[in-house]
Structures are given as structure tokens and as C-alpha cells.
Amino acid sequence: MKELFSSIKEFFSYRTTIGIADVIDILLMALIIYELIRLIRTTSAARIAKAILAIVVLTWLTDVLKLRTVNWLLDRILEIGIIALVILFQPELRRLLERVGGKSVRELIDTKSKSSDLDLGIIQTVNACQAMSEAKIGALIVFERNIMLDEYFKSGTEVDAKLTSELLRNIFFPKAALHDGAVIIRDSRVAAAGCVLPLTGNNHLSSDLGTRHRAGVGMSENSDAVVIIVSEETGTISVATGGMLKRHLAPQTLEKVLRAELISDEKAEKKGFFRRVKEQLSGKEK
């Protein structure tokens, strides 16, 4: 920690000598840190980040107060913690490397194919929900967005298959092994099925809503996911976002809601890192 604080002091003492190369270096590091934060941003990761921040602050305080034994112990914890974080987030890091290694440079730069996959995925999902609604087959479909749902992903069965109407209908077929749980869609693919979702604690929901609807609302309260619920009793289609439930949606309305919630996010991602930072600093986030 002493080396860290001395480096910070040296940075401020030499700030007048910063050149163009240094600015580029800082911006690249900011981009890398930003992308890493996006990679590990989950509901559990937020708690881990708070714990790490608390340890760093305590380490600094013990150094200032000359509590040498406690400071030495916290220093060792931080050193071991770096290795522990790599092990803890190994699945996320592996997934990132697989994405990068499995794509060409052109695919990494071009976002049109990603938007096209999402557009087709929405159409396939709407077709499946319409068919299941007419047949009164219950369904619970979760579209993952910025907050990753790994803790719920692990409660089900990994699928990793192309998102099609036929696949969704087969998963939720009443006699299928995974029909009772939720399907999680990640990157326009069916990532997992049979997943267990948290129930909402909202007591103001209508009494005619069952466990499937309460799980959908609970998922939307605990993340930024878009959750589709098809009622087994009535066949009605609902969408939960941000703890709010939109009920009795026609297939056409469902498609409009999904496009508004999901494709608008894709357009925001295309703005790029530096443009979003610029807009936030100027207070003109669009």
C-alpha cells in the first residue's frame, strides 16, 4: 500500500509533464477497466466490490494511524485477494476470451450481425409465446441485459442453443423435463433452462397471480432483465421490467415492448465508451 500511495503522490507532482502518449495510455486503461467492470457486473459482484473497497479504505487508515500489525495483515489479504478474484470470476473471464477468440476482427467491430440476431430472436420469441398462449402452456422467459444472471443461470441446465420458436415450445411442453423453470436468453441464444428465479416480496400484486408471475416480477426487481410470462391458466402474455408488470399483451404489443426494451439498449451500446463518457460529463445523456 505504501508503494501505491507514493505512486499517487508522484503522479500529482508530475502532472504538468503529461504528454499525448500519457493521455492515450490513461484512456486505454480506463477503457480496459470499464469493460472489466461490465464483464463482472452481477448482483453478487456488487457486494464483493463493496467488501474490497472497505478493505482498501481500512488498509489506508491503518497505514495513516501507524497500526503496523493490522496494516501488514490487510496488505497480505489484498495480495491474496487478487488471486482469489481471478479464481472467483474465472467463468466470466473464460467467456470473454471465448467470445474474442471465436470471432474475427471484422465481427468484433461490426455490430450489425449482433442486432440482426437480436431482431430474429425477438420474432422467434413472439411466435413461440403466441403459440403457447393459444395452447395455454405456461412459460417464463428471461432476456439478460447489462446485469449478468450467473447465479440464476447455475440453478438450471446449460443449453447454449440458437433461439428458435420450436426450441422454446419444446422446453415448455408440459411433459418436458425443464418446463417448470425459466429460460435465460443471453446474447440472442438460449443459454439455460429450468432456472429458479427469486419471488417478489411485493404484496400489492393481484391475488390471481401465481408463482410464475411472482417469479417474473421478482427477477425484474433483482436485475435489469426483461421477463416474459405466459399464463398456464388463462394463456395471457405479460412482461415484467423494473418490478412493473404489463399484462394481457397481444403478440404485436409484445413485439413492440421487446423491441423498445432490447433494441434500444443495442443502439445505446453502439454509441461507444468515449461518447457515453462525454455525454455523462456534459449532462446530456441521450
Side-chain angles (χ1 to χ4, degrees):
M1 288 300 294
K2 291 181 180 179
E3 291 79 5
L4 175 62
F5 292 121
S6 63
S7 299
I8 294 174
K9 290 179 181 178
E10 288 180 8
F11 170 77
F12 284 107
S13 63
Y14 291 110
R15 63 185 182 278
T16 56
T17 62
I18 295 177
I20 296 177
D22 299 310
V23 173
I24 294 174
D25 191 25
I26 292 170
L27 290 175
L28 287 175
M29 282 303 302
L31 177 60
I32 292 171
I33 294 171
Y34 172 79
E35 292 297 336
L36 285 174
I37 291 174
R38 286 190 60 211
L39 175 68
I40 64 174
R41 186 167 58 178
T42 64
T43 52
S44 59
R47 294 190 291 269
I48 295 172
K50 290 178 183 177
I52 294 172
L53 181 61
I55 294 174
V56 171
V57 172
L58 285 173
T59 304
W60 174 74
L61 285 175
T62 54
D63 184 54
V64 171
L65 298 174
K66 305 299 181 182
L67 304 177
R68 303 186 186 281
T69 305
V70 180
N71 182 259
W72 176 86
L73 180 62
L74 291 174
D75 274 335
R76 302 291 80 75
I77 291 174
L78 285 176
E79 290 175 3
I80 298 173
I82 295 174
I83 301 173
L85 285 175
V86 174
I87 297 173
L88 183 63
F89 294 110
Q90 183 267 339
E92 287 80 6
L93 293 172
R94 184 181 64 182
R95 184 167 58 251
L96 175 64
L97 293 174
E98 286 176 347
R99 287 179 184 175
V100 175
K103 295 181 179 180
S104 63
V105 175
R106 182 178 179 182
E107 288 175 323
L108 290 171
I109 297 174
D110 186 14
T111 57
K112 291 183 179 179
S113 59
K114 186 177 180 180
S115 298
S116 177
D117 290 341
L118 180 57
D119 187 70
L120 291 174
I122 290 174
I123 294 173
Q124 292 293 318
T125 302
V126 171
N127 290 340
C129 290
Q130 182 177 6
M132 290 187 290
S133 173
E134 293 171 354
K136 292 187 178 180
I137 296 175
L140 190 55
I141 304 170
V142 181
F143 275 88
E144 181 186 73
R145 291 203 279 186
N146 292 323
I147 297 178
M148 302 188 75
L149 308 176
D150 285 354
E151 56 188 291
Y152 308 109
F153 179 96
K154 295 172 183 176
S155 67
T157 301
E158 184 175 356
V159 179
D160 191 22
K162 182 179 179 181
L163 175 56
T164 64
S165 173
E166 292 77 11
L167 177 58
L168 290 176
R169 291 167 63 184
N170 284 333
I171 289 174
F172 290 111
F173 184 73
K175 293 184 179 180
L178 302 174
H179 79 282
D180 277 336
V183 162
I184 296 179
I185 297 176
R186 171 184 289 169
D187 295 333
S188 303
R189 292 179 65 83
V190 178
C195 300
V196 179
L197 305 185
L199 297 179
T200 179
N202 187 350
N203 297 320
H204 300 291
L205 292 178
S206 176
S207 58
D208 64 334
L209 295 178
T211 304
R212 185 175 284 110
H213 286 81
R214 295 183 181 277
V217 175
M219 185 75 265
S220 70
E221 290 172 342
N222 285 274
S223 70
D224 62 348
V226 178
V227 187
I228 305 171
I229 308 104
V230 180
S231 173
E232 187 175 358
E233 288 76 21
T234 63
T236 57
I237 302 172
S238 306
V239 172
T241 55
M244 302 295 292
L245 186 65
K246 300 176 182 178
R247 304 180 64 188
H248 306 289
L249 302 181
Q252 297 82 0
T253 308
L254 173 63
E255 183 174 350
K256 290 180 181 178
V257 171
L258 292 179
R259 289 183 182 279
E261 293 290 343
L262 300 174
I263 295 183
S264 61
D265 281 356
E266 287 296 309
K267 290 180 179 178
E269 288 295 321
K270 289 180 184 180
K271 287 183 178 181
F273 168 75
F274 295 114
R275 183 176 173 183
R276 288 198 297 274
V277 171
K278 181 180 178 181
E279 289 176 346
Q280 290 173 357
L281 291 175
S282 62
K284 297 179 181 180
E285 178 67 35
K286 298 181 181 178

